[in-house]
Amino acid sequence: LEIAQEHGYAVDIIPWLTSGLSLAVLNGITLTARAQSDSVTIATGHEINPTKLENWTKLLDNGATLVLYMSLANISEIINELEKKLGSGLKIYSISNGSLDTEVVLESTLASILQELIDHSIQSPVVFILGKNLKKYNLTSGLDLSLEKTRLFL
C-alpha cells in the first residue's frame, strides 16, 4: 500500500474483492452456472496433503469450481492427483500477472496444462481456476477495463 502511494498511485481498498474472483470476471470466465455448478471454493495450494487433494477431487467431481492461489510450486502434484481421479479432460485456466500488461491467460485441460506452463515460462503470481462446467464469454466486449496509472484497487 505504502509503496504504491510512494509511486504516485491513489489506492482504494475494496473489502472482500479477491483476485481469483475478479480475474475470472475480467477474463469472462464463469465460476458458477445455473443447474451445473452452484459453488466456488477458494484455496491455497502451497501446502497439500492427501486429505486436501481428496476434498478438492470430490468438489470438482460434484461440479464445483476450484480457485487455487499460491500453488505453482505444487501444481504438478496437484494436477497428477486430480487427473488420476477425474480424467484428463477437466478444464483449467491459469492466469499469471493478472490484470497487468504482462498478464498471460492459458485455457487448457489437466492433460496439457503442465506443458503449457513450461512453454509459456509461467511464473508466480498465478491463479488457477478448475471446473467441469467452466465457460468463457466475451463479457467485456466494448468496455474499456484498463486502469489508469493514478488509481489502484486493492
Side-chain angles (χ1 to χ4, degrees):
L1 186 63
E2 291 173 1
I3 293 171
Q5 291 172 329
E6 288 172 9
H7 285 86
Y9 290 94
V11 178
D12 290 310
I13 297 175
I14 303 173
W16 302 106
L17 182 63
T18 177
S19 60
L21 303 179
S22 60
L23 292 175
V25 170
L26 286 172
N27 286 285
I29 302 166
T30 59
L31 297 176
T32 60
R34 187 172 288 125
Q36 295 176 359
S37 177
D38 64 357
S39 64
V40 177
T41 297
I42 299 172
T44 62
H46 67 281
E47 293 178 6
I48 56 173
N49 59 57
T51 302
K52 189 180 284 191
L53 290 168
E54 184 61 32
N55 289 339
W56 293 347
T57 299
K58 288 177 184 176
L59 287 166
L60 289 165
D61 197 34
N62 287 315
T65 299
L66 177 62
V67 178
L68 291 176
Y69 297 92
M70 298 179 278
S71 49
L72 186 60
N74 292 320
I75 198 64
S76 181
E77 183 178 351
I78 293 167
I79 296 301
N80 289 333
E81 286 300 312
L82 293 176
E83 194 171 16
K84 285 179 195 174
K85 305 264 179 25
L86 300 172
S88 60
L90 187 76
K91 186 164 276 196
I92 181 170
Y93 288 91
S94 163
I95 305 172
S96 63
N97 293 322
S99 78
L100 301 176
D101 291 339
T102 56
E103 178 182 80
V104 176
V105 179
L106 302 176
E107 180 179 354
S108 192
T109 63
L110 294 181
S112 56
I113 189 63
L114 295 177
Q115 187 59 51
E116 290 183 39
L117 293 170
I118 293 167
D119 292 347
H120 289 87
S121 303
I122 299 300
Q123 297 179 3
S124 289
V126 182
V127 171
F128 293 98
I129 303 172
L130 301 90
K132 285 182 176 181
N133 301 301
L134 296 177
K135 292 185 175 60
K136 188 167 183 183
Y137 296 97
N138 190 3
L139 300 175
T140 57
S141 179
L143 298 177
D144 180 7
L145 295 177
S146 61
L147 298 176
E148 296 180 21
K149 182 176 182 189
T150 57
R151 184 158 229 92
L152 286 179
F153 296 93
L154 304 175

